[in-house]
Amino acid sequence: MDNAAFEMHEGATQNISPVGKTGTIFRMEKKRPWSLMSIFLVCLLACTVTTAVGVLILSLVYINNSQPHLEPKLQATTIPILQKDVDPKFQFLNHLPKSKVFEFSGGAIQWARYRNNVKDYLSIEEEAFGSSLNSQRSQMTLGTLRIKSNGLRAPHWHFNANEHGYLVQGTAWIGVVDDGHVVTTYNVTAGQVIFFPKNTLHWVKNVGNEDCFFLLFFSTHDELQTLDLDDVFFSTSEDIASRSLKPEGGVNFIRTFHKQKEDQGVNLPPNLAELVMNASYTQSPDSLVWRYFYDLKGSKEYRFPGGIIQLAQYWKNGSELSNNEKIFSEFLNQHQNTLALSTVRIYNNGLRQPHFHFNANEMGYVISGCAKVGIINTQGTIEFDIHVGDVIFFPIGNQHYIKSACDEDLLLLLAFSTRDQLQTLDMDDYFQATADHILAQLFFKKQNEFKKIPKFTEDQAINLP
């Protein structure tokens, strides 16, 4: 604006006509400095008024945009389309059978996990569950892996997670290559657990006649990062691969490899019989195998009136463990961010009573049966039903319970985000541990009334009516 005012002043002086009388010219020249000052002040005032008007207009525009109900015609362009409300239960529940199936020639994979790109979710319910895992920093991802007979989960490793698996059905042969170049191979059957530390190459081969079905837990709440051996090979230049492997024929041999059009993550070539003539499924010594294997179905059963619990975890006091179980327990504890696995069987009408965990988030998969689940946290109480294939998630410290609701037993596989021994407190335990006069004051109830709550000699973690 100063430049504009200056230009106005220059134009004004050029348009002054000569005046005949000397006194008039003198008077005009004498007034000229005051005219310059007046013009400057007028321009300054104009600038101030213009700025004030501009700010007022911007304020009105902002108010109109932030309150679209005042201008109905603007709603289509200024208000984003909002998704419909999601039932809060989907923070804790994933209907895995409804999720996307990743098909391969040798099997299929499904996921209950967080995804970086929201477009990768099939539904807003699935997104709510994945976002909950990530926001709670759960260190949890779950996948199901189905491998056809003779199918192979290709050798691979995970950048950002340990992997814990449970074989629900079938027979598999496992291979693991550790950082000391030691190869460990072993067979696994239904009810047994496998473990692969982060960045450890491993493979899974179905050596039975029926499909293998694995439940796999990964210790990350971010998107899982994985590299398959064939993808790495074909991403490596021919010269580098030749110099590294030093095959007969050199680089010409490397050129005989051809990348398949389809992803070979779970592989089953149609001409497998022509390719493999003499397969050997050897078993390594127990001292190696039990670092990556645990016989959960053969482990100690913790029996309760309403069900049974078995655990594959680190034990601070391993006095009751076998020598092989001690190998597994200690190996788990040597790695960061490992998980504890557990099977929980709840009889018909049995209740896993309200409880919470001090040191772990919990994720579970329904293998059989059905149940009603309740979660109590600062938001209130959320209840929902679960069925076969459903995945549940309980954040650390959230009290929760599970009540079997079918004629058949409820069987769950649970994972806990701790490499230490799981720490849990049940409702009956903390009621019994609280002084009765404290309870009387809290509940406005006479102190002797709390003697009606019995103390049991048998643990009631899973009870019956």
Side-chain angles (χ1 to χ4, degrees):
M1 296 302 292
D2 291 340
N3 291 337
F6 179 75
E7 289 168 2
M8 288 175 62
H9 167 66
E10 287 290 284
T13 57
Q14 291 174 2
N15 292 331
I16 295 176
S17 300
V19 183
K21 294 184 179 180
T22 303
T24 304
I25 294 174
F26 176 79
R27 286 193 298 271
M28 288 184 66
E29 289 176 351
K30 189 174 183 179
K31 293 179 180 179
R32 185 172 297 160
W34 293 103
S35 299
L36 289 173
M37 182 62 71
S38 299
I39 293 171
F40 172 78
L41 293 174
V42 169
C43 291
L44 182 62
L45 180 61
C47 291
T48 303
V49 172
T50 303
T51 301
V53 172
V55 170
L56 179 61
I57 292 172
L58 289 173
S59 299
L60 291 173
V61 171
Y62 174 80
I63 292 172
N64 287 337
N65 286 339
S66 62
Q67 300 181 13
H69 61 278
L70 299 177
E71 294 289 340
K73 294 182 180 180
L74 296 178
Q75 288 184 2
T77 57
T78 60
I79 301 300
I81 298 174
L82 298 177
Q83 293 180 334
K84 63 181 181 180
D85 291 336
V86 182
D87 191 320
K89 72 181 181 182
F90 289 107
Q91 299 173 72
F92 314 106
L93 171 66
N94 179 289
H95 292 311
L96 189 58
K98 296 182 179 180
S99 68
K100 181 178 179 179
V101 179
F102 294 85
E103 297 277 3
F104 303 88
S105 60
I109 297 175
Q110 287 182 284
W111 293 104
R113 66 177 181 179
Y114 168 75
R115 299 177 186 276
N116 291 327
N117 187 347
V118 295
K119 294 181 180 179
D120 290 337
Y121 294 110
L122 290 188
S123 66
I124 56 175
E125 290 82 10
E126 190 177 49
E127 179 185 350
F129 185 80
S131 298
S132 177
L133 294 181
N134 187 258
S135 64
Q136 297 283 349
R137 305 191 65 79
S138 65
Q139 295 183 2
M140 294 282 197
T141 288
L142 182 142
T144 61
L145 170 63
R146 186 174 296 279
I147 308 178
K148 299 176 183 177
S149 178
N150 291 316
L152 168 70
R153 174 63 183 101
H156 64 284
W157 62 93
H158 308 291
F159 291 94
N160 61 336
N162 301 296
E163 178 179 352
H164 300 251
Y166 176 87
L167 183 55
V168 178
Q169 169 189 299
T171 305
W173 186 64
I174 310 296
V176 185
V177 183
D178 69 15
D179 57 359
H181 306 169
V182 176
V183 181
T184 301
T185 56
Y186 58 94
N187 293 280
V188 59
T189 58
Q192 296 176 328
V193 165
I194 56 178
F195 168 61
F196 309 123
K198 181 171 64 175
N199 289 320
T200 299
L201 185 141
H202 56 279
W203 67 80
V204 183
K205 164 82 174 180
N206 184 342
V207 294
N209 295 322
E210 62 178 342
D211 286 359
C212 280
F213 184 63
F214 282 93
L215 301 176
L216 304 176
F217 292 90
F218 301 87
S219 60
T220 180
H221 49 260
D222 294 320
E223 192 148 12
L224 186 64
Q225 300 175 16
T226 303
L227 265 182
D228 286 3
L229 190 150
D230 60 326
D231 292 330
V232 174
F233 178 82
F234 288 113
S235 297
T236 304
S237 69
E238 294 174 345
D239 175 62
I240 297 299
S242 176
R243 291 182 60 179
S244 299
L245 301 177
K246 299 186 183 301
E248 293 182 15
V251 72
N252 290 328
F253 175 79
I254 298 298
R255 288 170 180 163
T256 63
F257 290 78
H258 301 289
K259 186 174 178 62
Q260 302 298 310
K261 293 181 179 179
E262 295 182 353
D263 191 331
Q264 297 299 304
V266 189
N267 158 287
L268 184 58
N271 60 337
L272 181 62
E274 301 174 12
L275 301 174
V276 178
M277 309 297 181
N278 185 23
S280 175
Y281 306 116
T282 59
Q283 181 88 359
S284 297
D286 285 351
S287 59
L288 295 176
V289 169
W290 279 77
R291 296 187 301 170
Y292 311 106
F293 165 87
Y294 191 82
D295 185 15
L296 184 57
K297 68 179 180 182
S299 67
K300 180 178 179 179
E301 294 182 342
Y302 294 86
R303 292 186 169 272
F304 306 90
I308 301 171
I309 294 176
Q310 291 178 283
L311 290 159
Q313 66 169 8
Y314 165 71
W315 295 92
K316 291 181 179 179
N317 181 1
S319 60
E320 295 186 3
L321 301 179
S322 69
N323 290 334
N324 285 336
E325 289 173 336
K326 288 178 182 177
I327 293 172
F328 180 81
S329 173
E330 292 167 3
F331 192 67
L332 274 187
N333 193 246
Q334 291 171 15
H335 295 82
Q336 295 290 331
N337 301 324
T338 54
L339 307 175
L341 294 191
S342 171
T343 53
V344 176
R345 183 178 296 277
I346 304 178
Y347 306 144
N348 175 35
N349 209 28
L351 170 69
R352 176 64 184 100
Q353 68 161 284
H355 64 283
F356 64 91
H357 307 292
F358 292 90
N359 61 337
N361 298 294
E362 177 181 348
M363 180 182 278
Y365 178 94
V366 183
I367 297 175
S368 63
C370 64
K372 180 175 289 294
V373 170
I375 301 174
I376 303 170
N377 57 23
T378 56
Q379 301 171 6
T381 303
I382 298 176
E383 291 186 324
F384 51 86
D385 297 326
I386 56 174
H387 303 86
V388 174
D390 284 341
V391 178
I392 50 179
F393 170 59
F394 305 127
I396 186 171
N398 282 222
Q399 181 163 286
H400 53 281
Y401 59 85
I402 304 171
K403 182 181 181 299
S404 180
C406 287
D407 292 336
E408 64 175 322
D409 290 353
L410 173 71
L411 180 60
L412 297 165
L413 179 68
L414 303 177
F416 304 90
S417 62
T418 180
R419 70 170 185 168
D420 293 322
Q421 190 167 323
L422 185 64
Q423 299 172 7
T424 302
L425 190 62
D426 290 354
M427 174 181 273
D428 65 335
D429 290 328
Y430 63 71
F431 255 80
Q432 293 290 354
T434 304
D436 55 9
H437 64 86
I438 296 296
L439 295 174
Q441 180 172 337
L442 176 63
F443 290 105
F444 291 80
K445 203 170 184 65
K446 291 183 178 181
Q447 185 173 347
N448 59 6
E449 287 286 300
F450 291 94
K451 298 186 184 300
K452 295 179 180 179
I453 300 176
K455 292 183 179 181
F456 293 92
T457 55
E458 187 178 15
D459 194 329
Q460 298 293 305
I462 308 177
N463 65 27
L464 289 170

